[in-house]
Amino acid sequence: SDFIRINRHLVMMGCCEKEYLQMLVPFYCRPEQMKGLRKSDIMELTNTYNGARIREDDIPDGLGRHFFWAMGRQYQNLQAGPRAR
């Protein structure tokens, strides 16, 4: 989505606060949001958080591990396609 790409570009330019990105994690962890992510969105999100040097331990309330796990699972579901579901 455009929102994800804008955040990615902000990180690339060094214009993004870590707290802002950490605040977005609960939004992306919502099941309806996670299911709406495409493979390109997941790749951009991964690059965004890696580029900002945010690790799973940096994300409050223990959501970091779930966030990265859920993105990986969604990516695998999309990669497998409708045949695997």
Side-chain angles (χ1 to χ4, degrees):
S1 78
D2 290 337
F3 181 65
I4 292 170
R5 281 191 292 277
I6 288 169
N7 286 324
R8 172 72 178 128
H9 291 295
L10 289 173
V11 167
M12 288 172 52
M13 294 187 305
C15 300
C16 199
E17 298 289 329
K18 284 186 175 185
E19 292 80 13
Y20 166 73
L21 293 172
Q22 291 168 336
M23 180 187 74
L24 291 175
V25 170
F27 170 76
Y28 288 120
C29 284
R30 293 181 190 159
E32 65 273 10
Q33 291 297 347
M34 192 58 69
K35 287 183 182 181
L37 294 177
R38 300 172 303 194
K39 287 194 287 186
S40 60
D41 294 332
I42 294 167
M43 290 171 50
E44 289 291 340
L45 278 171
T46 301
N47 290 332
T48 299
Y49 283 83
N50 286 339
R53 291 180 168 71
I54 297 176
R55 302 177 327 212
E56 64 182 41
D57 295 338
D58 298 330
I59 299 170
D61 302 326
L63 280 178
R65 174 172 263 165
H66 176 72
F67 174 58
F68 290 107
W69 172 84
M71 282 197 304
R73 183 169 174 97
Q74 174 65 5
Y75 190 89
Q76 289 175 345
N77 287 339
L78 293 169
Q79 190 72 18
R83 292 175 283 146
R85 291 183 203 157

